[in-house]
Amino acid sequence: MEERAKEMQEQERRIKIRMAKIKHKLAILSGKGGVGKSTIAANLAIALARKGYKVGVLDVDIHGPSIPKILGIRGRELATGPPGIFPAKGPLDIRVVSMDFLLPDDETPVIWRGPMKMGAIRQFLADVAWGNLDFLLIDLPPGTGDEPLSIMQLISDIDGILMITAPSEVSQIVVKRAIGFTRELRVPLVGVIENMSGFVCPKCGAEFDILGIGGGQKISEELGVPFLGKIPIDQRICEDSDRGTPFIIEHAETPAAKAFMQVVDKVEGYLKQRGTQA
Ligand code: ADP
């Protein structure tokens, strides 16, 4: 038992050293699944890398990793060497670590209980040679269970959480609890992003209110949390993710990509205000 405690302490020491080389750590969270966390994490990574930042993405969605697919780098292998596990390199030199790289095929499920998942997360943080990064984006699975809890406990200097919601009340209720979670753990919240907010017809430019509009803004007003923007539904987001081509580059002129870039500006503004500009 004492041996195990020592091992964990040693691992935490390594995590501190690795994390000290990364200027900003941002986590992408939502109470709900399917609201666009991974899509937003991947596109945010691309946007930041395009601005000249060195970016890494840690896909902590152990059961349903999708960052490699969205970034078009499925099937890569994680090499190891004396500095540790090397992350896979994605577009614009984005470094990526995901459970997806470790699974043998598309059908193999990850059937792990909490302690196994926590062990994997600890290893991702302690043994991956991220190197010096400006940003590490952490894509969390839905909910407020073991994975986000481990991340918040192991990375003591997280710059903030980006909370993703769909406009629906069903999503709002769950996301409010997730905001409560960040407050309980005293982790700063960058703000709320409302994804799938209305639909702009690519042909005629008309706006349709498909899943609703305004739910994210409502949460931010009710709970006194900054609102970072609304990203509309755009089928090209889904198509680009399936193809592994970055939407915000491929379709930079769309209202969704522009809304996205505004979110990026707000994130930079938040960091500037905190006095930790990248
Ligand atoms: P999560 O990580 O929250 O589970 P994903 O990022 O995997 O959600 O998104 C779920 C699905 O919705 C994906 O197929 C993605 O391409 C699609 N999607 C996400 N945001 C949008 C959007 N604004 N417009 C259209 N499709 C979207």
Side-chain angles (χ1 to χ4, degrees), residues 77-236:
E77 281 182 17
L78 300 178
T80 51
I85 304 166
F86 295 110
K89 284 200 180 161
L92 305 174
D93 203 30
I94 295 170
R95 282 140 211 225
V96 183
V97 168
S98 169
M99 199 63 201
D100 192 54
F101 297 131
L102 307 174
L103 296 171
D105 54 48
D106 286 1
E107 283 84 42
T108 303
V110 180
I111 309 174
W112 284 2
R113 289 191 193 275
M116 287 276 281
K117 290 191 274 184
M118 278 150 76
I121 292 170
R122 290 178 80 95
Q123 206 180 350
F124 285 158
L125 296 174
D127 298 336
V128 171
W130 295 103
N132 294 312
L133 293 179
D134 294 308
F135 285 93
L136 179 66
L137 305 180
I138 303 158
D139 184 25
L140 294 165
T144 50
D146 290 312
E147 298 89 332
L149 203 51
S150 298
I151 289 289
M152 312 297 162
Q153 284 167 347
L154 292 168
I155 310 177
S156 54
D157 61 343
I158 281 206
D159 288 86
I161 307 283
L162 297 164
M163 190 66 71
I164 320 298
T165 187
S168 66
E169 278 183 35
V170 171
S171 178
Q172 284 174 50
I173 292 169
V174 185
V175 167
K176 276 190 197 170
R177 287 192 208 288
I179 291 176
F181 168 82
T182 63
R183 289 185 166 162
E184 193 83 19
L185 295 180
R186 297 180 190 278
V187 182
L189 199 60
V190 185
V192 173
I193 300 171
E194 180 177 316
N195 190 28
M196 307 180 176
S197 173
F199 167 72
V200 183
C201 172
K203 290 209 174 106
C204 68
E207 262 191 59
F208 297 91
D209 185 353
I210 293 184
L211 299 177
I213 296 180
Q217 194 133 20
K218 194 161 160 242
I219 295 179
S220 90
E221 281 160 16
E222 268 177 41
L223 301 185
V225 173
F227 186 61
L228 303 178
K230 292 187 273 207
I231 301 171
I233 296 172
D234 187 322
Q235 77 184 68
R236 290 162 293 189

Side-chain angles (χ1 to χ4, degrees), residues 32-39 66 70 195-196 231-235 237-238 241:
K32 266 267 177 240
V35 294
K37 279 182 305 300
S38 304
T39 307
S66 46
I70 302 173
N195 190 28
M196 307 180 176
I231 301 171
I233 296 172
D234 187 322
Q235 77 184 68
I237 293 182
C238 189
S241 295

